[in-house]
Amino acid sequence: MMKYAMRGALAALLSSLGLAAAGAQVPDVDPREDEQVELPELPGQEAVPAATSGVIDPADLETWLDGFMPYALAQGDIAGAIITVVADGEILLSRGYGYADVETGALIDPETTLFRPGSISKLITWTAVMQLVEDGLIDLDADINTYLDFEVTGVERPITMRHLLTHTPGWGEQVRALIMEDPERLQPLDEYVRNNIPAAVYPAGEVPAYSNYGTALAGHIVAEVSGQSFDDYVDEHIFAPLGMEYSSMRQPLPEHLQGLMSSGYMRGSDGEGRDFEIVTPAPAGSMSASGHDMGRFMIAHLNSGEGLLSPETAEQMHTTADRKLPAVNAMLLGFYEQNRNGHRIIGHGGDTTLFHSNLHLYLDHGVGLYISMNSSGRGGAPGRIRQALFEGFTDRYFPPESQEERPTLDTAEEHGRMLVGNYVISRRAHQNFVAATALLGQPSVSMNEDHEISLSILTDAAGTPLRFREVEPFVWQQVNGAERLSARINEDGEVEMFSAAFFAPFMMFTPVEWWRNGALLMPLAGFAAAALLLTVLFWPVRAIVRWRFGKPFALSGRQAMAYRLSNVGALLPLLHAGGWLFLMTYMMSELNRLDGRLDGALMFMQFMAVLPFLALLVAVWNVFVVWTGAASWFAKLWSLVLLASTLVMIWFVAAAGFFNFGLTY
């Protein structure tokens, strides 16, 4: 139960990245506040092992859920949710909680009410890809340019479909036009993938970095290879065979489904639903589906791909692991591991701005669990509820067969110190103003006197960082918990990357370069900004004091001009950095603002890059004038402070990506 706050903390970090649409682990934190939401304890914590009884008792499951979901939704200010559980090839339970429409009081019909599962849509796309692999039309290890009529590139080596399936094409994050509300602004899929190729930053196959663009490109390849539009292919080859009549990847929805769509809310108490969200990289997150239909999809995969794939292809999809780190979860072909209590579990998460969902398949038991909520709520509630449900369901019906207490290794201090420091996440933007998030939200690793390490963004419900002790070389187990950390060390004995089991399939933490290290740069930037601001503020204050006491201005000629220009120069870096921070915050607070409507403001701020360099010229000239004239020792010292502060501010905006040009972000 400690991972609720962990998800909330990471969600807040990713929220600053502007990744809410169609992402694997993405914001479910209301930007208006970061309060913790207290969830009720799940009733009946004693285990009821499904593995020994064969089938989960529906009555027990219903009672268990009824004791948790209504109160959890109310506490989280979430309008409604759908939960579907399948077992032994049948829908065991599919229930709606709360409302599909608060204003009209419409309840949720598990058979026909549509929710948006966000990035769980990717499983539809990857299933389509594997169908074409099975038909011999796609080779997982061929250069994807084989299937395209334009070229995409990686660093050092070609990108393959396997790389796309495992989120290792090596691209940075792309957020432009990720999600919007105006269907008139929606780009066709082929146009989107041509015009929004992300920057290649890692060698293909090396570093997991979750990519919505990669899945969109895979969907485009499905269309190119099959000769059908992506939507037509999915309708014919996935939805129709499974009888998923209340599902669609189309945006806007087909007319016959529009009246069945649940409203989406920032908060349930808002009372008024938001517009239908348009996910531009559609294969990555555009799906709308009922709870029953998601149950049918889970059953197909649990039954060795029945109706979709051959047993051999389904097995390949469910078991081919791209394991970058030992002892933590791995990325599979589209699915990712979510193992717990020694049981083999695979699945996927999904979020739009308004809808938040999880899907879990217990492969060895033929059981599937799906939840989707139609509100972002407050205090990270959707993430906490999803994680509480998954952990509680797993611990109740699939408890651990044994629990082994492993001793802390003698190398704990040595290896722990190697990890201490600041990091950046591999899933991040590397272009334009969004790159600032790699500076402003850096996770850090610390170690206590017991040689236990903590990662700043992994906290318990009280906000206290979780503690981990080393139980294998470079593998750390959570103290009194199930989470794990694992690290890879290079030949020089330095940390190459590390991650937690929860994130490892699709996201790594890598050491930050010294010049972008927030532990160094952020305090320096704070002092520099303070020095510049004091200079600006004291200019009118000194003028008022002189006027009040009738004192003349003591400087003249070149020294007077240098004094006045140095005050103006101190203002310029503040205007530049402040303008960028304001624009970035404004654009990312509502993801539909990333659809290109603010390109004019971006170009204006890019043009304003001249300001800090004008300030630097003024600061250098001011030093020359002050030090060659009859100035006081304080004036000479302060001229150096202004010069150093201006240089630090230029360093800050360069590290933040504010000197990048163009409209790719």
Side-chain angles (χ1 to χ4, degrees):
M1 301 282 284
M2 291 185 178
K3 274 194 275 187
Y4 312 158
M6 174 189 71
R7 275 194 54 90
L10 185 66
L13 174 63
L14 293 180
S15 181
S16 70
L17 291 170
L19 306 181
Q25 308 299 329
V26 284
D28 37 56
V29 176
D30 187 334
R32 293 172 289 185
E33 61 179 304
D34 59 1
E35 66 186 271
Q36 301 285 335
V37 171
E38 292 296 328
L39 298 180
E41 286 296 322
L42 284 162
Q45 290 296 315
E46 69 278 1
V48 183
T52 57
S53 61
V55 179
I56 297 171
D57 180 0
D60 178 81
L61 177 61
E62 186 171 345
T63 301
W64 183 73
L65 289 172
D66 286 351
F68 173 68
M69 285 301 299
Y71 183 62
L73 296 181
Q75 287 293 99
D77 202 356
I78 294 171
I82 180 73
I83 293 181
T84 300
V85 178
V86 301
D88 290 345
E90 297 181 353
I91 294 178
L92 187 68
L93 175 145
S94 192
R95 289 201 57 182
Y97 293 89
Y99 298 97
D101 190 296
V102 173
E103 189 173 7
T104 65
L107 300 178
I108 298 164
D109 185 334
E111 179 69 42
T112 62
T113 302
L114 279 61
F115 277 55
R116 305 294 300 280
S119 278
I120 296 173
S121 309
K122 289 179 172 68
L123 299 180
I124 301 293
T125 301
W126 299 132
T127 300
V129 166
M130 295 306 291
Q131 287 177 335
L132 296 172
V133 169
E134 185 175 297
D135 292 340
L137 299 176
I138 291 178
D139 182 342
L140 287 177
D141 298 305
D143 187 335
I144 56 174
N145 290 308
T146 305
Y147 309 109
L148 297 171
D149 55 356
F150 62 97
E151 186 176 10
V152 297
T153 60
V155 176
E156 299 179 10
R157 61 187 71 126
I159 296 170
T160 68
M161 184 61 75
R162 190 182 301 276
H163 295 144
L164 299 186
L165 279 155
T166 55
H167 293 291
T168 57
W171 289 319
E173 183 65 35
Q174 189 83 348
V175 299
R176 182 182 173 87
L178 193 60
I179 194 166
M180 59 186 67
E181 294 178 348
D182 184 2
E184 297 298 322
R185 300 181 69 93
L186 177 63
Q187 302 175 63
L189 180 58
D190 60 343
E191 182 180 320
Y192 173 81
V193 295
R194 282 175 179 274
N195 297 337
N196 292 276
I197 302 173
V201 293
Y202 308 112
E206 291 295 321
V207 180
Y210 192 89
S211 175
N212 288 307
Y213 176 86
T215 312
L217 187 63
H220 176 64
I221 290 173
V222 167
E224 290 289 294
V225 169
S226 68
Q228 298 178 271
S229 72
F230 176 76
D231 291 334
D232 286 346
Y233 182 92
V234 168
D235 285 346
E236 180 179 339
H237 295 275
I238 296 180
F239 294 154
L242 298 184
M244 296 174 66
E245 299 179 17
Y246 299 99
S247 298
S248 180
M249 298 285 283
R250 299 179 187 273
Q251 303 176 113
L253 282 169
E255 188 174 350
H256 71 283
L257 294 178
Q258 289 180 9
L260 301 174
M261 183 69 224
S262 169
S263 295
Y265 303 87
M266 286 303 296
R267 289 188 173 200
S269 59
D270 291 345
E272 184 177 351
R274 302 281 289 265
D275 291 339
F276 183 84
E277 298 169 281
I278 304 292
V279 179
T280 307
S286 68
M287 188 180 183
S288 304
S290 71
H292 270 44
D293 276 7
M294 293 305 297
R296 294 179 178 98
F297 182 73
M298 289 192 292
I299 289 169
H301 271 280
L302 288 167
N303 287 352
S304 300
E306 184 177 15
L308 297 176
L309 303 166
S310 70
E312 295 76 19
T313 303
E315 179 75 6
Q316 180 186 16
M317 190 175 184
H318 298 162
T319 61
T320 304
D322 183 39
R323 194 175 306 280
K324 300 301 185 187
L325 298 173
V328 291
N329 292 332
M331 192 73 209
L332 307 173
L333 295 182
F335 289 88
Y336 50 81
E337 291 180 336
Q338 301 172 317
N339 298 335
R340 182 175 176 85
N341 295 344
H343 298 281
R344 195 163 57 110
I345 309 167
I346 66 173
H348 212 289
D351 304 75
T352 67
T353 303
L354 306 175
F355 288 82
H356 307 275
S357 312
N358 266 9
L359 181 149
H360 313 277
L361 300 181
Y362 298 74
L363 293 179
D364 296 330
H365 307 289
V367 171
L369 170 65
Y370 170 74
I371 178 174
S372 185
M373 289 166 279
N374 63 7
S375 312
S376 287
R378 64 183 181 91
R384 297 168 187 275
I385 292 170
R386 285 183 291 181
Q387 195 64 25
L389 178 70
F390 169 61
E391 293 181 357
F393 181 89
T394 306
D395 294 348
R396 182 173 180 81
Y397 298 111
F398 306 104
E401 296 180 1
S402 62
Q403 292 185 339
E404 178 186 2
E405 184 70 19
R406 305 176 69 181
T408 302
L409 297 187
D410 294 337
T411 55
E413 180 179 9
E414 176 190 358
H415 292 172
R417 292 197 184 283
M418 293 171 66
L419 246 69
V420 170
N422 276 33
Y423 292 81
V424 290
I425 59 175
S426 59
R427 182 196 181 184
R428 69 184 191 275
H430 294 257
Q431 296 171 291
N432 223 307
F433 66 98
V434 190
T437 55
L439 172 64
L440 302 177
Q442 291 175 4
S444 62
V445 174
S446 59
M447 186 171 67
N448 65 19
E449 60 186 12
D450 294 324
H451 308 145
E452 298 165 341
I453 65 172
S454 295
L455 177 61
S456 59
I457 65 170
L458 304 187
T459 66
D460 62 18
T464 304
L466 304 182
R467 295 176 293 120
F468 296 83
R469 56 189 186 83
E470 190 178 31
V471 294
E472 298 176 28
F474 299 106
V475 175
W476 289 263
Q477 178 72 44
Q478 180 188 343
V479 176
N480 300 320
E483 185 59 79
R484 282 192 168 196
L485 300 177
S486 181
R488 180 196 291 178
I489 308 300
N490 64 22
E491 295 177 353
D492 298 324
E494 300 169 334
V495 177
E496 186 175 319
M497 65 176 72
F498 84 94
S499 194
F502 191 71
F503 312 128
F506 44 79
M507 191 173 77
M508 294 287 158
F509 298 85
T510 59
V512 65
E513 307 96 324
W514 73 267
W515 60 273
R516 192 181 280 143
N517 192 323
L520 169 66
L521 182 51
M522 294 306 290
L524 287 177
F527 284 123
L532 295 172
L533 184 60
L534 284 173
T535 300
V536 172
L537 293 177
F538 272 97
W539 187 17
V541 168
R542 294 177 69 177
I544 292 171
V545 170
R546 288 196 307 270
W547 170 80
R548 175 68 179 80
F549 292 98
K551 298 231 173 183
F553 184 50
L555 302 177
S556 62
R558 193 172 63 169
Q559 288 188 332
M561 180 169 288
Y563 170 77
R564 294 186 178 102
L565 286 179
S566 66
N567 285 286
V568 174
L571 180 62
L572 299 183
L574 297 176
L575 290 175
H576 181 251
W580 269 118
L581 291 171
F582 173 80
L583 181 60
M584 180 182 71
T585 302
Y586 177 76
M587 291 181 70
M588 290 186 176
S589 63
E590 292 282 348
L591 289 180
N592 57 16
R593 293 172 181 162
L594 300 172
D595 63 0
R597 71 180 71 173
L598 293 172
D599 283 356
L602 282 176
M603 288 188 287
F604 174 78
M605 286 307 306
Q606 289 166 353
F607 176 75
M608 289 296 103
V610 68
L611 294 183
F613 293 102
L614 287 176
L616 180 61
L617 291 176
V618 169
V620 170
W621 185 65
N622 181 60
V623 168
F624 173 77
V625 171
V626 169
W627 281 78
T628 57
S632 68
W633 68 266
F634 180 80
K636 291 180 178 180
L637 175 63
W638 197 252
S639 71
L640 295 176
V641 169
L642 290 180
L643 176 58
S645 297
T646 303
L647 287 170
V648 168
M649 292 304 294
I650 291 174
W651 176 11
F652 169 78
V653 295
F658 295 155
F659 285 145
N660 291 347
F661 296 93
L663 297 175
T664 300
Y665 52 87

